Amino acid sequence: MTVQVAAPLRARPARSNAAQRAYRRRNQRAAQTGTAPVQTRGRTTGAGRVATRIPFVATIIALLGAGMALTLFLTTRAAEDSYELSTARAYNMSLVQQRAVLQRDVEAGLSAPVLAQRAAELGMIPSGDVARLVVAADGTVTVVGDPVPAQGAPAAPLSSSVRDDVRVQTPLAGSAGTENPRPLSPEGEQPQPQATVDPQQRAAAVAEAPRAAEVGGVPQPHGTPAGASAEAPAEPAGVPVEVLPGSEEDGPR
Amino acid sequence: MNRSATPRRPSPARRPARARPRRGKRDTTDFGFRNRLGLAAICVVLGLAAAQLLSVQVFQAPRLSAEAASQRTTRLVEPATRGTISDRNGSPLAYTMEAKALTFQPVRVREELDEAHAKDPSAPETSAYLEGVAEAVHAALGAAAPEKDVLAKLRSDETFVYLARGVDPGVAAKIVDEYEMVGLERQDIRLYPGGSLGANIVGATGWDGHGLIGLEASMDAVLAGTDGSSTYDRGSDGAVIPGSWRDQQPAVDGSAVELTIDNDIQYHVQQQVQRAKDLSGARNASAVVLDVHTGEVLAMSSDSTFDPSIGVANNPADAELGNPAVSSPFEPGSVNKIITAAAAIEDGLTTPDEVLQVPGSISMAGVTVKDAWDHGVVPYTTTGVFGKSSNVGTLMLAQRVGEDRFADMLTLFGLGQRTDVGLPGESAGLVPSREQWSGGTFANLPIGQGLSMTLLQMTAIYQAIANDGERIPPRIVRATIGPDGTRTETPDPDPIRVVSPQTATTVRDMFRAVVQSDTGNQQGTGAQAAVEGYQISGKTGTAQQIDPNCGCYSNSEYWITFAGIAPADDPRYVIGIMLDAPTRSSDGSGGQSAAPLFHDIASWLLQREGVPVSPDPGSKLVLQVD
């Protein structure tokens, strides 16, 4: 650190006369008191002493400079990281939202009514009564029931009474778009198939499904007229209403 | 200071000596006066300042600091996410998704756009920008946001409008990326993936996200959770004042609710009930499926159930918003005869094979009750009395049981008491208390008239017989699952011993007679309920409704009921059905019977659950001795 002192010293202007006198007097005082003239780090000249101070200032400046550079670097990095962080957070958020939307679509697609409707669109019909094969311990197989091909109409949608116009106001507005089509309505803005089925049509559809009409199997013991119940309602004539405390209160809903 | 003061002092050399004392005196007086005046002014000013300081710092301090706090304090609410309602397999029936609402400030944004365009002609014109927003919103949302409507909102003079609600977050983000003047607001939406599936149980939430009907309303406290909040201070430029975050309360999400119902069974039952309603011409139809051994409700449905996914208000006026299976009691009719059967067998008062000489009518306490068909004295077995649903034979057995014992049995079977199944609006039904019985009461209760019960109670009677005489009150909420994943099972209800296991087995076997097919006299009343390969026990029921015009029992409108056990030899499921005033059977055929609906539900259920067929079809039962 003290090596480079000579060159800058030479460049300095000579001391003023007053200063030179002051230094001289100090040296004289030192001689009178018996002490050696002031020497700094082995140098006897004033110029050498000043020179020793410059590296110290330079050190401080260098330290400050280095500190500032470090601060600047860290600040820049922090800012850069915060940008990266906010980008990552935004990306994460979009992924979370994307997952929620996908999950919504999956849940909607997995729900029983939607599956049934998709099956109906594919032309699938409920199996009705099926025959069972019972395998005995000895390996013999018995057929229980009468295996016949299923016939009839596809299952009617669960919610038939939904009007066309209310689909427009569905709270899940975004799902009506092409971006995230709601599985219930893959055609987007088109009305749902179920929305176009009125109850009469649906009743007609299910009526097409031929079921074993077992009317003949109902016991009509003593010529009960057709259409009347085979069940035995209590005889109303003999039952005064006032003896039935529950009757009035529990009328038909 | 000295140098500046020097020139003001009169120099003795330049001033006449005589003038000095006079002028000096006057100057001193002036200075003193000015000095005092200045001092007084300063004092006044300082006094005023001190008074103001006092006023501001002491008297007005609380108000001012409160005002300042209210200006800079901002409270952030972190909404709690509502819990999911799922079926027994975890498939959601209702859950909450975070969506976005698109917001806009028409007046302010239009002004800003005008200014921007005036400064920089390359900025978009206001009208073009608004049209672009409307087009983009419409393109993304389709029919839910007609371009015309959106444009009208953008051009309105409101300070704040919602352009669209419940928008998919991804879709919303795209719109906002393109048109940054459109704002976003978090909006939780409740989704019902099954539409009307189980909606009679689950219910729906209202506009504020809280429950409106059904379990959504009755379990709102469990589902809703608690909103979190935090407070911070904000400078006038909107920047957060560092270190001002406080009162941070994290949101506590709502608990999830797991039901006992099975979505697939619920779907099938709901679909079949709707079909039965349409085909039979009934006003209403309901069905309940219980698990025999746990009393858990596997399905509970009624017709015309509303669809919560389109909003309660958007459903047609005739949509069913309630849950009639627990809220609407009715007179069950002959289904109730199983109580007489169980009591008579339990007390050893009869055996299935005992032959009873059953006349065409019976007179009890002045009340004459006839069978549904005219007949003379017929030798029915006890099994035949129930298989043929003879009122007279049932009352003959009920007389052996006795009024008090019969009243006790009604209580043991849970009639007249709420089941506490866990659903809102449950009715207890109505059973006349023993003290109120008149002569005719006991002529009616055994045959299921003069008392009312809900469909759930009716099904629970058969659950007791199916579960070897032990009644387990039905439950529909299986567990609640906290936001931290802790699962709290609904405590098992205490079982009630109604009859002995032997009695239950005997009664189950006896009631197979109802579904027995025969070309002769051994035919039961509900043969259509039979499922090939399985032993089925059950009971048909027909109860006269009250005719409001005469206040008497109607001869044209009936509650048609059926309750049954499948399979009878190894019970797994109990199914209860009620049709309200049908004109045909549940499959559209003649007569009025709910037996075909039982068959459709039971047959599907046994197949779906892989229940093994009964090892033997069961012995042929003798209903009538020739």
Side-chain angles (χ1 to χ4, degrees):
Chain A
M1 281 174 68
T2 55
V3 180
Q4 349 165 335
V5 292
L9 263 183
R10 275 196 294 270
R12 284 183 68 90
R15 283 196 184 107
S16 67
N17 290 335
Q20 284 174 352
R21 279 199 304 275
Y23 277 107
R24 210 162 39 237
R25 276 201 296 274
R26 194 176 68 168
N27 287 337
Q28 284 167 359
R29 278 199 303 278
Q32 284 164 7
T33 54
T35 53
V38 176
Q39 289 191 353
T40 309
R41 296 175 198 169
R43 283 164 205 281
T44 52
T45 61
R49 288 181 59 254
V50 172
T52 57
R53 295 185 183 171
I54 291 168
F56 178 69
V57 172
T59 308
I60 297 299
I61 289 172
L63 278 175
L64 281 175
M68 276 180 70
L70 187 68
T71 312
L72 196 66
F73 172 73
L74 289 176
T75 314
T76 315
R77 276 302 294 271
E80 189 186 332
D81 286 352
S82 75
Y83 279 120
E84 270 178 30
L85 186 67
S86 59
T87 312
R89 275 194 180 137
Y91 183 57
N92 187 40
M93 180 60 72
S94 76
L95 286 181
V96 165
Q97 291 171 345
Q98 205 178 334
R99 191 194 66 151
V101 170
L102 290 173
Q103 198 171 1
R104 199 257 334 264
D105 293 351
V106 168
E107 297 297 356
L110 280 179
S111 77
V114 175
L115 285 176
Q117 193 179 327
R118 296 296 286 273
E121 285 165 11
L122 292 172
M124 298 169 82
I125 55 173
S127 61
D129 289 330
V130 293
R132 274 95 160 160
L133 297 177
V134 180
V135 184
D138 60 358
T140 55
V141 178
T142 319
V143 181
V144 178
D146 189 17
V148 287
Q151 294 176 24
L158 210 53
S159 319
S160 66
S161 41
V162 178
R163 301 189 307 267
D164 291 5
D165 53 342
V166 296
R167 273 289 162 205
V168 174
Q169 299 160 19
T170 174
L172 238 185
S175 12
T178 49
E179 181 69 27
N180 290 292
R182 194 177 184 189
L184 275 170
S185 176
E187 291 77 27
E189 301 170 34
Q190 291 182 10
Q192 297 238 339
Q194 63 199 56
T196 60
V197 180
D198 67 23
Q200 282 80 20
Q201 283 175 330
R202 184 182 53 179
V206 287
E208 282 167 27
R211 293 203 48 80
E214 299 167 27
V215 192
V218 180
Q220 306 285 332
H222 293 277
T224 312
S229 166
E231 251 302 316
E235 176 55 55
V239 184
V241 169
E242 56 267 28
V243 303
L244 303 169
S247 305
E248 290 85 356
E249 289 86 348
D250 298 311
R253 54 193 165 127
Chain B
M1 190 141 167
N2 284 342
R3 288 178 67 180
S4 64
T6 309
R8 283 194 212 153
R9 265 181 211 159
S11 162
R14 278 189 263 160
R15 307 263 183 234
R18 55 186 167 87
R20 195 177 160 193
R22 190 165 48 102
R23 285 197 63 175
K25 191 180 177 186
R26 199 186 66 198
D27 282 355
T28 312
T29 315
D30 284 354
F31 175 74
F33 175 71
R34 285 204 308 273
N35 191 22
R36 282 194 298 275
L37 196 68
L39 209 61
I42 288 169
C43 283
V44 167
V45 170
L46 282 179
L48 281 174
Q52 180 66 9
L53 196 66
L54 192 74
S55 164
V56 169
Q57 290 287 356
V58 178
F59 301 114
Q60 298 181 39
R63 182 178 61 80
L64 288 175
S65 61
E67 267 179 31
S70 74
Q71 278 177 13
R72 66 170 188 264
T73 303
T74 309
R75 190 165 172 270
L76 271 185
V77 174
E78 189 193 339
T81 304
R82 193 174 174 83
T84 300
I85 300 179
S86 63
D87 81 337
R88 64 189 298 120
N89 302 315
S91 300
L93 284 158
Y95 65 100
T96 292
M97 191 179 94
E98 188 184 322
K100 300 289 181 194
L102 295 179
T103 63
F104 198 71
Q105 302 180 49
V107 175
R108 192 179 66 79
V109 170
R110 282 203 303 265
E111 277 171 15
E112 282 179 17
L113 287 170
D114 285 342
E115 275 174 31
H117 185 67
K119 273 187 199 161
D120 176 10
S122 67
E125 272 188 58
T126 306
S127 58
Y129 188 88
L130 298 184
E131 278 162 18
V133 171
E135 202 177 323
V137 170
H138 174 69
L141 307 186
E147 200 171 331
K148 210 169 55 180
D149 293 5
V150 177
L151 207 53
K153 283 179 185 170
L154 295 173
R155 288 178 175 155
S156 71
D157 289 329
E158 305 282 333
T159 52
F160 182 89
V161 290
Y162 284 103
L163 298 180
R165 291 171 197 264
V167 182
D168 272 2
V171 176
K174 271 195 175 171
I175 295 174
V176 175
D177 281 349
E178 197 177 350
Y179 297 98
E180 58 183 14
M181 293 297 190
V182 179
L184 286 185
E185 195 175 273
R186 173 176 168 171
Q187 187 197 24
D188 283 351
I189 48 173
R190 195 73 167 159
L191 295 177
Y192 300 89
S196 61
L197 180 72
N200 56 322
I201 299 163
V202 172
T205 52
W207 63 271
D208 59 351
H210 283 283
L212 200 64
I213 44 179
L215 282 176
E216 292 269 34
S218 68
M219 298 195 76
D220 195 56
V222 177
L223 290 165
T226 312
D227 286 350
S229 69
S230 49
T231 308
Y232 66 92
D233 288 342
R234 205 165 55 169
S236 57
D237 57 352
V240 177
I241 297 174
S244 67
W245 286 95
R246 59 188 181 274
D247 300 339
Q248 284 174 307
Q249 302 282 344
V252 181
D253 288 343
S255 296
V257 172
E258 188 179 294
L259 303 182
T260 60
I261 71 162
D262 181 308
N263 276 357
D264 290 351
I265 302 176
Q266 174 72 22
Y267 168 76
H268 183 77
V269 171
Q270 199 164 332
Q271 214 258 346
Q272 290 296 319
V273 163
Q274 183 66 51
R275 178 175 175 272
K277 190 250 180 187
D278 292 342
L279 292 178
S280 68
R283 277 198 292 258
N284 298 290
S286 307
V288 169
V289 179
L290 297 182
D291 183 290
V292 162
H293 301 296
T294 60
E296 291 176 344
V297 181
L298 296 176
M300 174 185 283
S301 82
S302 55
D303 66 278
S304 312
T305 304
F306 76 107
D307 183 353
S309 67
I310 58 168
V312 175
N314 295 331
N315 277 276
D318 59 349
E320 174 65 62
L321 297 176
N323 192 4
V326 294
S327 62
S328 302
F330 56 90
E331 298 185 42
S334 304
V335 164
N336 206 39
K337 286 175 182 169
I338 200 168
I339 295 178
T340 306
I345 298 286
E346 174 82 356
D347 296 350
L349 304 172
T350 186
T351 61
D353 301 326
E354 187 194 358
V355 179
L356 301 167
Q357 299 298 328
V358 180
S361 66
I362 188 172
S363 187
M364 285 172 69
V367 176
T368 302
V369 178
K370 294 195 293 183
D371 276 338
W373 65 100
D374 293 326
H375 62 85
V377 176
V378 184
Y380 288 135
T381 60
T382 299
T383 302
V385 163
F386 298 109
K388 298 270 183 199
S389 199
S390 163
N391 292 336
V392 178
T394 305
L395 289 174
M396 287 164 66
L397 291 169
Q399 280 176 324
R400 296 188 194 173
V401 172
E403 297 189 5
D404 290 334
R405 170 68 172 149
F406 187 78
D408 288 346
M409 285 302 276
L410 291 178
T411 309
L412 278 175
F413 273 108
L415 301 181
Q417 318 146 38
R418 271 192 288 273
T419 63
D420 291 329
V421 66
L423 290 168
E426 192 187 359
S427 163
L430 190 64
V431 176
S433 64
R434 179 69 188 87
E435 306 83 59
Q436 290 178 335
W437 285 20
S438 64
T441 307
F442 195 50
N444 282 283
L445 299 186
I447 58 172
Q449 299 265 183
L451 82 173
S452 69
M453 57 184 74
T454 64
L455 183 61
L456 185 64
Q457 286 175 312
M458 187 185 98
T459 315
I461 295 174
Y462 282 73
Q463 185 272 331
I465 296 298
N467 191 35
D468 286 339
E470 198 170 61
R471 182 169 67 85
I472 299 173
R475 289 292 177 266
I476 204 159
V477 178
R478 205 182 199 194
T480 56
I481 299 148
D484 55 351
T486 52
R487 187 183 168 91
T488 313
E489 300 283 343
T490 306
D492 287 337
D494 294 328
I496 296 132
R497 171 61 61 186
V498 181
V499 290
S500 69
Q502 294 84 350
T503 302
T505 310
T506 307
V507 171
R508 281 204 305 271
D509 195 53
M510 216 161 69
F511 275 68
R512 286 196 297 113
V514 174
V515 303
Q516 181 165 290
S517 287
D518 187 69
T519 48
N521 286 332
Q522 315 304 335
Q523 167 91 20
T525 56
Q528 294 149 298
V531 179
E532 189 157 11
Y534 295 94
Q535 293 187 21
I536 301 288
S537 289
K539 186 73 195 78
T540 53
T542 303
Q544 291 176 296
Q545 296 196 355
I546 313 291
D547 185 343
N549 296 324
C550 64
C552 62
Y553 277 121
S554 162
N555 276 327
S556 58
E557 295 196 334
Y558 303 96
W559 284 294
I560 302 295
T561 52
F562 193 96
I565 301 162
D569 52 335
D570 182 16
R572 291 281 301 274
Y573 306 105
V574 186
I575 303 166
I577 295 163
M578 191 277 284
L579 304 178
D580 182 2
T583 53
R584 295 176 295 278
S585 286
S586 62
D587 59 352
S589 60
Q592 290 158 299
S593 176
L597 179 54
F598 176 89
H599 165 91
D600 291 343
I601 294 174
S603 169
W604 180 89
L605 193 55
L606 293 168
Q607 184 200 342
R608 191 247 182 188
E609 297 294 322
V611 177
V613 295
S614 300
D616 68 280
S619 59
K620 180 103 175 169
L621 298 167
V622 178
L623 278 63
Q624 181 178 343
V625 182
D626 295 321

